[in-house]
Amino acid sequence: MNKKTIKDVDVAGKKVLVRVDFNVPLNDQGQITDETRIIAALPTIEYLIGKGAKVILCSHLGRPKGQVKPEFSLAPVAKRLSELIDAKVVFATDVIGENAKKAVDEMKDGEVVLLENLRFHKEETDNDEEFAKKLASYAELYVNDAFGTAHRKHASTAIIADYFDADHKMFGYLMEKEINAVNKVLNDIQRPFVAIMGGSKVSSKIEIIENLLTKVDTL
């Protein structure tokens, strides 16, 4: 992998915007029922904290379709994250509004801000350039560590990277781990090679299926 990772950059004292995947399931009481995705992001977050970065986390949760819906708030995630890491976690009640800006402006080294649900803004899924630009303005560095949603053509995963040059955007530990695993599977094949695929959106997997057909023994 020839992309930069967080180990390749001096993050000390820098504001680092990290796209994570905190799309966790919540029950009717707003309690997290599976925190696997939060746990998966911890190595990147803890590394950045340990190096003295100011860590700004952004994620989506569910499908609020551009509307503010309390049942899709990331507030429970902020609470749980603060219990899992040895650092202050501030929850911003918006994404690009005054509350988020104030939270980011007041950050100290080693602190964490979690922004509210990106999908409360339709501009996120519309891949809106102005939305991505405002989000990017919070930070000096951008880290994509949201493997589960990195394929989406959304503002926080696609357009936002255009606002950081090659030396200021990189992968986190989760992305690095998953990409290395995919590369190993596809380029260092141990046979017999069987691919098992799931998910409801077949249209988004056509290119992957076509690629796999030339490599696998059984799909």
Side-chain angles (χ1 to χ4, degrees):
M1 184 176 70
N2 57 7
K3 298 288 187 181
K4 282 185 179 295
T5 70
I6 52 177
K7 301 187 297 292
D8 300 319
V9 180
D10 180 10
V11 301
K14 302 273 194 354
K15 288 180 178 175
V16 185
L17 180 68
V18 187
R19 179 46 161 108
V20 289
D21 183 4
F22 285 165
N23 186 27
V24 296
L26 303 173
N27 62 22
D28 292 341
Q29 288 74 46
Q31 299 168 324
I32 299 167
T33 58
D34 184 345
E35 59 187 36
T36 301
R37 290 179 175 178
I38 301 175
I39 300 298
L42 292 183
T44 292
I45 297 169
E46 291 175 336
Y47 174 86
L48 293 171
I49 291 170
K51 292 296 183 179
K54 301 176 180 75
V55 184
I56 307 156
L57 303 173
C58 61
S59 177
H60 74 284
L61 194 157
R63 297 178 181 176
K65 299 182 178 180
Q67 300 178 51
V68 177
K69 296 185 177 181
E71 64 268 30
F72 292 118
S73 175
L74 281 164
V77 177
K79 181 177 183 297
R80 182 57 181 145
L81 183 62
S82 69
E83 297 168 349
L84 291 170
I85 62 175
D86 185 23
K88 180 180 179 181
V89 178
V90 174
F91 179 61
T93 57
D94 52 31
V95 178
I96 55 172
E98 287 302 316
N99 185 266
K101 184 178 185 305
K102 183 175 184 292
V104 170
D105 287 346
E106 294 178 353
M107 292 184 80
K108 295 180 175 61
D109 294 351
E111 291 187 350
V112 177
V113 166
L114 174 60
L115 304 177
E116 183 55 285
N117 193 338
L118 291 165
R119 290 188 184 175
F120 282 177
H121 298 261
K122 65 180 182 62
E123 292 89 347
E124 163 68 0
T125 52
D126 286 348
N127 207 21
D128 184 81
E129 291 189 13
E130 189 60 29
F131 181 75
K133 183 178 181 180
K134 289 178 180 178
L135 198 56
S137 70
Y138 289 147
E140 299 153 88
L141 303 172
Y142 171 69
V143 175
N144 191 336
D145 207 33
F147 182 78
T149 194
H151 63 294
R152 302 283 182 203
K153 193 174 181 181
H154 291 170
S156 67
T157 55
I159 292 295
I160 196 169
D162 294 339
Y163 294 99
F164 297 87
D165 63 35
D167 292 326
H168 294 83
K169 55 187 173 185
M170 62 218 72
F171 290 145
Y173 281 129
L174 179 59
M175 282 287 286
E176 180 184 22
K177 174 185 174 182
E178 296 289 358
I179 290 172
N180 285 340
V182 170
N183 284 337
K184 180 175 176 59
V185 168
L186 295 182
N187 299 316
D188 186 21
I189 297 173
Q190 303 295 313
R191 298 190 183 279
F193 184 23
V194 179
I196 301 173
M197 300 187 67
S200 60
K201 298 177 183 176
V202 176
S203 61
S204 66
K205 300 177 178 66
I206 296 299
E207 291 184 11
I208 298 173
I209 293 171
E210 290 176 342
N211 183 272
L212 284 173
L213 283 174
T214 65
K215 301 177 183 294
V216 302
D217 299 304
T218 305
L219 179 64

